[in-house]
Amino acid sequence: AAGAPEIDILDLGKILRWLGINMPFELQTVLAEKVDLDGSGKISEQELRKLIRITREDDYRIMLKAFAQQDSAHAGVVSLDQATAAFLTISNDRGMKTHEGKEFEEAL
């Protein structure tokens, strides 16, 4: 809507982190350009929703792939060690700081 507040692309990272979405600045820029259909350099509420949806769908694909790689028997079940390996793969794929597998096991 006309006059609706928009987010400057440079401020996008703060909002994404506030929403619990951590990603490198370069990826933020690529996604922002992808959803900024009017080329304003600012993200509207509708464009922000689209960016979040794209991010969530990407996260879902990364998780499915990581767990499928650990489920070699295709049984739909993984062991604790396999789940730990899947979580480590996910954090590496998202460019997040990795943790020791022991920390994941303690959290479970």
Side-chain angles (χ1 to χ4, degrees):
E6 293 189 325
I7 303 161
D8 189 284
I9 289 177
L10 296 175
D11 294 325
L12 181 61
K14 294 176 200 171
I15 292 168
L16 292 174
R17 283 188 300 280
W18 185 81
L19 293 169
I21 301 170
N22 297 309
M23 67 176 69
F25 178 75
E26 295 80 15
L27 181 56
Q28 291 174 30
T29 304
V30 169
L31 289 174
E33 290 173 358
K34 185 175 182 176
V35 300
D36 184 19
L37 299 178
D38 60 3
S40 67
K42 296 187 181 288
I43 303 297
S44 69
E45 180 181 343
Q46 181 181 3
E47 292 167 336
L48 179 61
R49 287 180 187 182
K50 184 173 184 173
L51 188 144
I52 291 168
R53 182 176 41 82
I54 289 168
T55 302
R56 295 294 185 214
E57 289 172 354
D58 186 45
D59 287 346
Y60 183 69
R61 281 191 293 275
I62 289 170
M63 286 187 278
L64 281 178
K65 181 180 175 186
F67 278 91
Q69 287 174 339
Q70 295 299 318
D71 183 16
S72 57
H74 307 289
V77 177
V78 294
S79 69
L80 182 57
D81 288 341
Q82 290 169 317
T84 301
F87 283 123
L88 289 171
T89 298
I90 292 165
S91 63
N92 288 336
D93 284 352
R94 294 302 282 151
M96 298 163 56
K97 182 180 174 185
T98 58
H99 301 278
E100 294 295 321
K102 191 174 190 177
E103 292 179 27
F104 283 114
E105 289 179 14
E106 290 171 1
L108 298 174

